[in-house]
Amino acid sequence: MKSRLLFAAIVAATIAIAASLLAGAQLLPLPAIVTEILRWLAILHVAAYATSRRSLTAWILVGLLAGAELGHDAPGAAAKLQFLGTVFLRLIQVIIAPLLFGTLVVGIAGHADLKKVGRLGIKSLIYFEVVSTIALLIGFAAINISRAGEGVRLPSSANAESLVATPHTAAQLITDIFPENIAKAVATGQVLQVVVFSILFAMALALVPEPKRRPMLAFAESLSETMFKFTNLVMYAAPIGVFGAVAYTVGHLGLGVLLPLLKLLATMYVALVVFITCVLFPIALLVRVPLQRFLRAVAEPVTIAFATASSEAALPRAMEQMETFGVPRETVAFVLPTGYSFNLDGSSLYQSLALLFIAQVAGVPLTIGQQAVMLLTLLISSKGTAGVARASLVIVLAAASSFKLPTEPLFLLFGIDQLMDMGRTAVNVLGNCLACVVIARWEGEFPRESSSAEIPA
């Protein structure tokens, strides 16, 4: 049944696209109303397929297509639907502060006994920060080279003054990192201040004796799990929010606003390939990882991650494969879960790329200093959110709000987010599997005799 609905949707979409192109080129004398009906019928077929699959991603695609079509056919009516996107954005924004607090406290205080884990913990954190920072820099470089967001202009609004990135002195930039009032930081959306407070709180909690630390750690873990479920519930409203936001945007700007998304998608996948070949591959060679065996070991978890766009879905198999590969169980048990919080290479690359894409769409010029502060914000705020659906979008939204960038361009990312999520999640899992081997080799726990014979010439 699903395959037949998919086939019908493809046929309907093909007919609608062909008729619209031929009519636009004046090769087929069809009234405009006929091509509009054909396009809506194609969207209804896609909706029928989405219903059969019960897939949120498919419904987000339906919302994108329906919003773009309504904005094209009835721009006046579409202009009244902006509130749908605004409501959805507010639901996402209310998640950010408790989500960051809960996940960072659990991620840091939950692994607080560095005396017990010793060099393993310190080396893991150093490796994670270095590699994820390189990923962020590659994302920044890729979007600065491709300029995928240029040429798109947002409609003027009452909040136009917030689109200007006001320059600050270096002293002011540093001062603004630290909160004077955590409630004020939450209310004004200062994500970096929330993150700094959460890190200091987690460090203080780590110094508290175990009997008194346990209840607060349990609360933070419960809070983070609750916010995961909260996020899942809010994401059910994503198709409606995308529909309203895209309808409003296309109604003002036309369908041309969607074209840069293809350029953005290509930019991200090229950047991911560059990261794998120029960062992960040299690291593997440097520590003498047996590449053929390693690729066979990671093939299944990486494929699971790519197909499901979920790092968590691949975690059990990744742990099993890394242990079978020869990494000691205690190393796997520490490095992989910690890496899921601190070593999200693909997500880090995407977040830096998406944040600058938003700035380019908004036409906001950014100095090197402002981009450096953005890099620092993403480097810290991206930690601990691997378990959240569309976690990277939440982080990008939080960072955009912190730097007074408009949030409307974020909805442009929703239309292709599943395709981007698949790639970045697969790289997350690949990077964490490699980290297990690197840390084990660094600790002298990975058998050298198995590696020397299996590295391809």
Side-chain angles (χ1 to χ4, degrees), residues 12-23:
T14 302
I15 294 174
I17 293 171
S20 299
L21 291 176
L22 291 174

Side-chain angles (χ1 to χ4, degrees), residues 189-226:
Q190 297 297 320
V191 62
L192 190 54
Q193 294 184 10
V194 174
V195 168
V196 169
F197 173 83
S198 301
I199 290 175
L200 293 176
F201 185 93
M203 292 173 64
L205 183 61
L207 299 176
V208 173
E210 175 64 22
K212 295 183 178 180
R213 181 173 72 226
R214 194 181 305 113
M216 181 57 69
L217 192 59
F219 166 76
E221 188 171 2
S222 178
L223 175 64
S224 61
E225 289 295 328
T226 301

Side-chain angles (χ1 to χ4, degrees), residues 6 18 120 127 146 172 251 259-260 316 358 379 384 452:
L6 177 60
L120 184 64
Y127 175 84
S146 72
Q172 187 175 0
L259 296 180
I358 290 175
L379 183 63
S452 59

